[in-house]
Amino acid sequence: MPANIVLRNAAIPAALLADAARFGGRVQGDLLIGDLLLRDGGLAGFLDGDAPADARPRDLRGRILLPRLTEAHCHLDKCHSIFRLTGVGGDLMAAVEAQQADAASAGADDIRQRAERGLSELHAAGCGLVRSHVDWGADGGSLETAPPAWEVFGELAEDWADRLILQRAALISLEHFDRAEACAALARRLA
């Protein structure tokens, strides 16, 4: 990536900037408009004069520039599995039971394939951060043993690091929290 890029005629919502007055640009309604300088991959602000000599220009023609989206709550270990589930209609518990039955037969390769497809779709939709729950200790499973999805998502987080951030969040049923030693060991593992 070149050191300097100028995005000509860029628009940024002023509400998204910590200090819009110091960022530069001209005010047009709720937007700041101008030629935006990207320096070493980060926003430097709107230009107040000529662009650096080495800058590569690109004209945005007034398009609004927004930060990448965040998917704060998803279940990548469950995505793209509906086609093989039965008995999901009616209520939440029926859907949970169908998903648990399916998860019992889903191995790491299956989880990886479906989660990778989900990440591809999220990335194409503009997501830069994805936080996925992972069922831990579900169906009487052990708190001491990581579910396959936890390990798979750790690997996917590394594989996708140049495109988006993947965060894992252990989803643990409250009835497990009465086992202090197991919870302490789990907290150390998750940290």
Side-chain angles (χ1 to χ4, degrees):
M1 172 180 252
N4 293 308
I5 298 173
V6 173
L7 300 177
R8 299 208 180 277
N9 303 304
I12 296 181
L16 296 180
L17 299 168
D19 190 351
R22 291 185 58 207
F23 203 75
R26 68 184 183 283
V27 177
Q28 183 177 346
D30 294 336
L31 301 172
L32 295 178
I33 309 285
D35 294 340
L36 185 64
L37 177 62
L38 301 179
R39 182 179 293 129
D40 298 323
L43 292 177
F46 285 109
L47 291 172
D48 186 22
D50 293 333
D54 68 337
R56 274 193 11 216
R58 179 173 177 198
D59 194 344
L60 294 187
R61 294 180 291 234
R63 289 188 189 108
I64 296 175
L65 200 63
L66 296 170
R68 294 192 308 173
L69 302 172
T70 295
E71 171 55 76
H73 180 171
C74 69
H75 297 260
L76 288 171
D77 55 337
K78 295 172 177 61
C79 73
H80 299 294
S81 62
I82 190 70
F83 68 92
R84 61 189 192 200
L85 300 182
T86 58
V88 296
D91 63 16
L92 175 62
M93 290 317 297
V96 168
E97 289 172 12
Q99 187 62 56
Q100 286 177 339
D102 181 69
S105 64
D109 288 340
D110 175 61
I111 294 168
R112 176 184 308 282
Q113 178 186 9
R114 290 182 294 103
E116 187 108 41
R117 179 178 169 194
L119 288 172
S120 293
E121 292 168 347
L122 287 162
H123 181 257
C127 282
L129 188 142
V130 177
R131 181 176 179 264
S132 180
H133 277 131
V134 177
D135 290 338
W136 200 301
D139 255 3
S142 167
L143 287 185
E144 291 78 15
T145 305
W150 188 262
E151 304 303 331
V152 168
F153 291 177
E155 293 167 6
L156 287 173
E158 291 179 21
D159 295 348
W160 281 79
D162 62 335
R163 294 167 277 179
L164 56 75
I165 296 168
L166 172 59
Q167 296 177 342
R168 303 174 288 179
L171 185 59
I172 304 166
S173 184
L174 286 177
E175 67 258 9
H176 291 295
F177 286 94
D178 64 352
R179 299 173 41 215
E181 265 185 52
C183 287
L186 177 59
R188 286 189 296 276
R189 166 101 162 90
L190 296 178

